[in-house]
Amino acid sequence: MASHIVGYPRMGPKRELKFALESFWDGKHTSEDLQKVSSDLRSSIWKQMANAGIKYIPSNTFSYYDQVLDTTAMLGAVPERYSWNGGEIGFDTYFSMARGNASVPAMEMTKWFDTNYHFIVPELSPNIKFSYASRKAVTEYKEAKALGVDTVPVLVGPVTYLLLSKPAKGVEKTFPLLSLLKHILPIYKEVIAELKEAGASWIQFDEPTLVKDLDSHQLKAFTEAYTELETSLSGLNVLIETYFADVPAEAYKTITSLKAISGFGFDLVRGTKTLDVIKSAGFPSGKYLFAGIVDGRNIWANDLASSLSTLQALEGIVGKDKLVVSTSSSLLHTAVDLVNETKLDDEIKSWLAFAAQKVVEVNALAKALAGQKDEAFFSANAAAQASRKSSPRVTNPQVQKAAAALKGSDHRRATNVSARLDAQQKKLNLPLLPTTTIGSFPQTIELRRVRREYKASKISEEDYVKTIKEEINKVVKIQEEFDIDVLVHGEPERNDMVEYFGEQLSGFAFTVNGWVQSYGSRCVKPPIIYGDVSRPKAMTVFWSSVAQSMTSRPMKGMLTGPVTILNWSFVRNDQPRSETCYQIALSIKQEVEDLEAAGINVIQIDEAALREGLPLRKSEEAFYLDWAVHSFRITNCGVKDTTQIHTHMCYSNFNDIIHSIIDMDADVITIENSRSDEKLLSVFREGVKYGAGIGPGVYDIHSPRIPSAEEIADRVKKMLAVLEINVLWVNPDCGLKTRKYAEVKPALTNMVAAAKQLRAELANGK
């Protein structure tokens, strides 16, 4: 019985690629150094899977930034502003598209489906000239083959690539991107020909857009694409891989009718209804079913007995020799290896499986189907499953009772937002176009060292508190010097906005090396929510009070919202996500009320990930938005009218959920805008009325580029064309922790200068 892995984490068990990338960007390492680190990581991954007994091992899933940008490079689809002159795309052009450079901004970045992983959005136009400009897929296949590992090269499918793209600037928004299909397929044919020549016997096309609600025209594109590629694919085995949700019946019918395709990969963890489709519609004779039964998105050990039962049922439908055991998606979304976790207690550790363990689970299930069941392995797994179900540390009756009592109220503030803003302005006395930042300031090497040493008990609490207070004071003075109106304390005590809160809430566990890639070199370490959540004590009140005591200006209390904590954690799978979210909301509510009692008049509750969790199918969106928005309202429903509640969102497409954002009933929302070509503003041009305060980001903090005051002023003027001046705020797109002070200081200086210039112009009636 065969086994397959959809994809694997790239960063390395100790984030080796992250550090190599950052050293390269800083000029400390050469391109050869970067390539050596990446080659060593790939070799290690391929050998690990081969040694574990995996038959279908993926290649070309490694990336220096993301797989969609890799496809853009493969197709030579470089926007004109990067002045690429053809030929093989090098690091300069590649990273300029991803990060921008001193002259031009980066391409838009957005979330990969409903994950916290990001991709660079392709910008396409009717007259774009595609060319084969990156041979990465072929190079990596040959690299693995030289090691004695025959891999399955993975390509982002041509239809998914186009459906994830956007019209380039200046192109009509109605431009049909699928009309470019006939122009990119010749490049795919070249890639396929080179892979065949190199000896590839399988190719995997990732087409995850198949799980979305596609119309007949979009579904027809899949038929057209793979019919056109049929001759080129002759002699190869071809896998179409889908993930993250059920494949709708019409999409299932479309792809299983394709003659050129040998196998189909389905997510059977998040797509449980796909099993019903397979049973009712049947499965094409002679084709392979790659059954995604091991969860690629979460870190819980697989229930092997249950999975084996499901696989045996499928075996009866598709045939013993045509069933392949697989992961539900790429393991990119999980931590790398549980072996590296030395501080998790044994009980919780027994409940978990990271990427390396999931590879073992896949192979164990494949061997069990083939009659070679490892009884000891299955027995240990069953014991761990039983331990988790019965452990007293998972359940807290008081928390469950409090969460249940939330039902029956919508938890809205008593006064409407217009009246609240009036009351807040009387108290805060802010100017027109008030300036603020999103929360974090640069996290220096020294600051990270202090936090690390404090956690390791190498410095005293007294020394730690002294250092953090000094850092807060520095950040406060910088903001006062720049004349920013509403300040932040810079979050020097926090390594991560979710991890920091999870460490102080019950029901959470933490890893040492459970890093997951978010984009580029950016990694996060998601907490593990294993049980009912509660707040034993105040989490931020001390630091917010310290910061407020250093200034007469309003100081924001900085919190992460319940939906974002949920979506950026590895969440327990033994109860509905909504129940866990309500529990977190109650904890944040307690913190909000303690901040208010401590004299903090502006409190920001970040919901950066609210849009990210939106289901991929329209029929499921309303239920999610109902409990997600309700959870946010729970956090602040009890504060006074004079307490100003902010929230923040970033790097997603918000236009389709704008009415839910309004329903959150925050006083002020700051929201990513600049990197997405001000897409957000279009919703207001179309007539949506937004009465609360709003700060669409005026510059992209994920690029080292420093915008001029004139550029920022022009951007604010565009906002004023669709938003009332009395509700508009001026702020960056996101927090500043990933930037250097050499970039932050001039950018914020220019931001404040732009706001002051516009205030002066408005005062003079211009």
Side-chain angles (χ1 to χ4, degrees), residues 167-272:
K169 202 165 188 176
V171 175
E172 287 292 326
K173 299 303 179 190
T174 55
F175 170 61
L177 292 160
L178 287 175
S179 67
L180 297 173
L181 188 60
K182 59 181 177 291
H183 299 295
I184 67 172
L185 289 178
I187 313 299
Y188 275 88
K189 289 178 181 179
E190 289 188 68
V191 179
I192 292 164
E194 288 193 7
L195 287 169
K196 282 172 76 171
E197 187 179 346
S201 58
W202 277 85
I203 293 181
Q204 174 179 319
F205 290 97
D206 280 7
E207 293 281 14
T209 51
L210 280 162
V211 305
K212 301 191 82 174
D213 296 308
L214 302 179
D215 60 34
S216 58
H217 174 65
Q218 292 167 324
L219 286 174
K220 187 180 177 185
F222 288 94
T223 303
E224 292 172 353
Y226 290 97
T227 300
E228 176 63 26
L229 292 174
E230 192 172 326
T231 302
S232 299
L233 293 170
S234 176
L236 285 169
N237 289 297
V238 181
L239 166 64
I240 285 185
E241 184 65 53
T242 70
Y243 34 80
F244 300 152
D246 291 298
V247 174
E250 280 303 307
Y252 179 85
K253 181 180 177 182
T254 297
I255 60 170
T256 53
S257 300
L258 297 172
K259 292 180 181 177
I261 308 305
S262 315
F264 309 93
F266 300 121
D267 183 338
L268 302 182
V269 177
R270 289 183 171 236
T272 52

Side-chain angles (χ1 to χ4, degrees), residues 59 134 216 236 279 303 319 337 347 476 689 699 709 731:
S59 60
S134 171
S216 58
L236 285 169
K279 290 171 183 175
D303 185 339
D337 195 341
E347 183 181 34
V476 169
K689 299 298 180 186
Y699 77 90
N731 47 262

Side-chain angles (χ1 to χ4, degrees), residues 26 38 49 195:
D26 288 342
S38 60
M49 285 193 261
L195 287 169

Side-chain angles (χ1 to χ4, degrees), residues 4 21 81 150 161 222 265 295 395-396 436 468 481-482 489-490 514 517 569 573 599 604 633 688:
H4 166 250
L21 281 167
R81 65 180 178 277
D150 189 25
Y161 178 79
F222 288 94
D295 194 349
T395 305
N396 182 328
T436 191
I468 298 300
E481 178 188 333
F482 295 162
H489 77 289
Q517 185 182 17
S569 298
N573 57 1
Q604 181 169 308
R633 289 200 306 265
V688 171

Side-chain angles (χ1 to χ4, degrees), residues 16-66:
E16 291 87 344
L17 180 59
K18 168 190 171 65
F19 299 121
L21 281 167
E22 291 172 355
S23 292
F24 174 71
W25 293 335
D26 288 342
K28 296 174 184 174
H29 281 177
T30 65
S31 58
E32 290 77 15
D33 294 330
L34 178 58
Q35 288 166 335
K36 173 69 166 60
V37 170
S38 60
S39 177
D40 289 347
L41 284 171
R42 288 193 296 270
S43 299
S44 173
I45 291 166
W46 290 326
K47 289 176 182 176
Q48 176 189 346
M49 285 193 261
N51 292 338
I54 301 300
K55 180 175 181 180
Y56 299 114
I57 297 170
S59 60
N60 198 40
T61 58
F62 179 88
S63 179
Y64 289 109
Y65 217 84
D66 80 76

